[in-house]
Amino acid sequence: MGLDYTAGCVNFRDVGAYINLILDKPVLPEGKLYRGGSIDYIKATSEIAHCNTIINLRKRADFEDFKVNYLHFSMANTIEKYDTSQNEVKRWLNAIIKTFESPELPYPALIHCLSGKDRTGIVIAALLLILGLNKASIIEDYLLSEGEVTTELITLAIDGMTPINDYFSGLNLDLVKQNLLS
């Protein structure tokens, strides 16, 4: 059975809440970073935790303008995003992660794509790698998403981004960590 996109933001969840449950300890602040799918049927930010930043990873813009900090990082659907070793994917990920260097980024932030699992899963995996989480925990978080998700796909993405300091060598990863954890 396919995902029902008319029922709200599919695969919507608080990344901090779930990571803290997975690790059984507080690692990431709750209520700061959210992930999900299409927001085409969302009519108010209250349905997406009153997010102040929306990061759209889909090819097209969202239908609704919620008057929040809106960032759009599209990539052609023909590119295999899970193969993070590709230069185009690396440039795309570096551009997205760079936004988290800014202490001015208004939180909470929602990262979303169509289903909230593929593009979103890769970006969340990158952020969790930067925070120093282990591969098994990142995979467990990814597998919580509904739809076609496999350990092999997210493992390909994670492996392509390691070592993480080399992959994001032009970014200040300490600043990204600081901003996500404060």
Side-chain angles (χ1 to χ4, degrees):
M1 178 175 219
L3 297 172
D4 179 4
Y5 294 99
T6 64
C9 184
V10 296
N11 285 319
F12 180 77
R13 64 182 177 271
D14 181 334
V15 177
Y18 278 89
I19 285 300
N20 295 344
L21 281 172
I22 289 168
L23 296 173
D24 196 27
K25 63 182 180 181
V27 174
L28 187 60
E30 295 183 19
K32 186 162 191 170
L33 185 63
Y34 292 87
R35 63 178 292 166
S38 171
I39 60 171
D40 290 344
Y41 293 93
I42 300 299
K43 298 299 176 207
T45 59
S46 60
E47 297 177 63
I48 50 172
H50 295 286
C51 287
N52 292 315
T53 295
I54 295 175
I55 299 173
N56 177 4
L57 306 176
R58 298 186 304 169
K59 188 164 171 66
R60 67 169 180 76
D62 292 320
F63 293 144
E64 191 75 36
D65 180 4
F66 292 111
K67 306 295 184 230
V68 298
N69 184 37
Y70 184 82
L71 304 167
H72 189 197
F73 296 95
S74 67
M75 179 181 279
N77 291 331
T78 56
I79 303 295
E80 176 48 66
K81 286 101 184 128
Y82 284 101
D83 184 0
T84 54
S85 66
Q86 292 183 82
N87 285 333
E88 189 169 356
V89 177
K90 184 176 181 179
R91 282 190 300 275
W92 174 75
L93 276 170
N94 271 264
I96 296 164
I97 300 304
K98 182 151 187 63
T99 65
F100 290 91
E101 285 182 334
S102 174
E104 311 294 310
L105 185 71
Y107 289 95
L110 168 65
I111 300 171
H112 85 91
C113 58
L114 179 62
S115 298
K117 60 182 181 63
D118 299 315
R119 296 169 197 230
T120 298
I122 294 163
V123 172
I124 295 298
L127 290 170
L128 296 177
L129 281 169
I130 291 165
L131 291 173
L133 271 68
N134 64 54
K135 188 175 181 177
S137 300
I138 296 168
I139 292 170
E140 188 174 344
D141 174 69
Y142 168 80
L143 293 175
L144 291 171
S145 294
E146 293 182 32
E148 188 179 331
V149 291
T150 68
T151 300
E152 293 76 23
L153 286 174
I154 197 62
T155 298
L156 174 66
I158 292 168
D159 290 348
M161 290 186 273
T162 54
I164 198 76
N165 289 324
D166 292 344
Y167 194 83
F168 294 108
S169 63
L171 302 180
N172 184 337
L173 298 186
D174 288 333
L175 193 53
V176 172
K177 285 182 207 178
Q178 178 184 328
N179 291 334
L180 285 171
L181 296 175
S182 62

